[in-house]
Amino acid sequence: MILTVTLNTALDITYRVPSLRPHTAHRVSEVVERPGGKGLNVARVLAALGHEVTVTGFAGGATGRVVRDRLAGVPGVADALVPVAGATRRTVAVVDQRTGDTTQLNEPGPLVAPAEWAAFENVYEELLGSVAAVALCGSLPPGVPVGAYAGLVRTARAAGVPVLLDTSGEPLRRAVAARPDIIKPNADELAELTGAHEPLRAAQDARRRGARAVVASLGADGLLAHTPEGHWRATPPARVRGNPTGAGDSAVAGLLSGLAERLPWPSRLARAAALATATVLAPAAGEFDRATYEELVDRVSVTGGVSAA
């Protein structure tokens, strides 16, 4: 079993319009709703790969009920979300069908009370007793302490559960010092954390700050990994155009599944890069085509391996 944590769950709503133009009315050609937030996206990909996944975090209000109802229809995903009084947020993505560009609108999320946070911590600690790995994903809703992820990393380490962290800003900076097994920032998040804009140097710096391993998303250029065993670059066979929404979450699912299966780093990175690329190519944002992924995974170039210790 794998556990994913999404403290700021969402109902993701995607509108497709022929052409997005400011200051005008638009006719929407398609509307798609699904459970969202980074950890729920990761869980959906993990389940598609054949893993049993439990999701936890917060859900509340009418939107939270829709999220939980939709989760009940996802095979392989178990719901352990903690109820809150506030309403789960919505995220709205508007896809311009002419250009393929996406405009995103993200609500902040519900205000989490201290008693609700304490209830979540109890659920989280209990769940850790039966999982092979955990991912801590996404933003913090209002009311959750900025050092929350640092505490959750320490709890997982005390339970002997490897932990992957995918967040940004001050929550990332504080949690790195708690020594997560893997962090998965993009290039901008890594630069913000370290002040270094050259990815390899920034990854080395992030490891010095506490992360055991760093895997940085470099967009169309693939992934850079800096680990105790070595450092690698994973590059897709070709640059692709499409909707990048959810590609980072698919990469996290690839890394997390590889961590749970104890795969060597090159295999983890090839899986993560292939899943991210297959997600960009998929017609529906945040989904991936299994056949495309399986065709790509053996064609990802993984280079490096020099000891980084």
Side-chain angles (χ1 to χ4, degrees), residues 14-39:
T14 301
Y15 294 135
R16 300 182 72 87
V17 298
S19 178
L20 181 62
R21 293 172 294 163
H23 316 300
T24 62
H26 297 78
R27 291 190 180 275
V28 176
S29 58
E30 182 185 18
V31 181
V32 177
E33 293 185 351
R34 63 174 190 174
K38 295 180 74 65

Side-chain angles (χ1 to χ4, degrees), residues 46-242:
L46 286 168
L49 292 173
H51 287 274
E52 296 292 321
V53 192
T54 296
V55 297
T56 191
F58 296 110
T63 310
R65 288 193 293 274
V66 173
V67 167
R68 302 188 84 159
D69 287 345
R70 297 290 177 87
L71 274 177
V74 181
V77 176
D79 175 359
L81 293 169
V82 175
V84 290
T88 294
R89 67 187 177 132
R90 296 161 296 182
T91 68
V92 178
V94 183
V95 180
D96 185 324
Q97 293 173 289
R98 180 178 58 86
T99 65
D101 292 335
T102 300
T103 299
Q104 193 85 15
L105 304 173
N106 296 330
E107 296 179 357
L111 177 65
V112 176
E116 293 167 335
W117 174 244
F120 166 79
E121 289 183 299
N122 291 334
V123 168
Y124 174 72
E125 189 167 358
E126 183 177 342
L127 289 169
L128 287 174
S130 59
V131 301
V134 58
L136 309 175
C137 302
S139 62
L140 301 179
V144 172
V146 70
Y149 280 137
L152 298 182
V153 169
R154 285 191 285 267
T155 301
R157 288 180 57 83
V161 177
V163 55
L164 183 154
L165 176 67
D166 184 13
T167 189
S168 61
E170 186 64 13
L172 173 60
R173 189 187 69 80
R174 296 198 184 196
V176 163
R179 301 190 62 80
D181 293 270
I182 305 173
I183 64 170
K184 207 286 305 166
N186 61 34
D188 290 340
E189 292 162 349
L190 187 58
E192 181 184 7
L193 171 67
T194 65
H197 292 273
E198 197 285 311
L200 181 58
R201 175 180 291 184
Q204 291 170 331
D205 190 309
R207 286 196 61 213
R208 284 193 291 269
R209 291 167 184 257
R212 179 170 172 79
V214 179
V215 180
S217 294
L218 305 179
D221 292 325
L223 302 170
L224 167 72
H226 198 290
T227 82
E229 292 81 13
H231 54 82
W232 291 268
R233 286 287 296 265
T235 308
R239 298 176 72 90
V240 298
R241 290 182 58 83

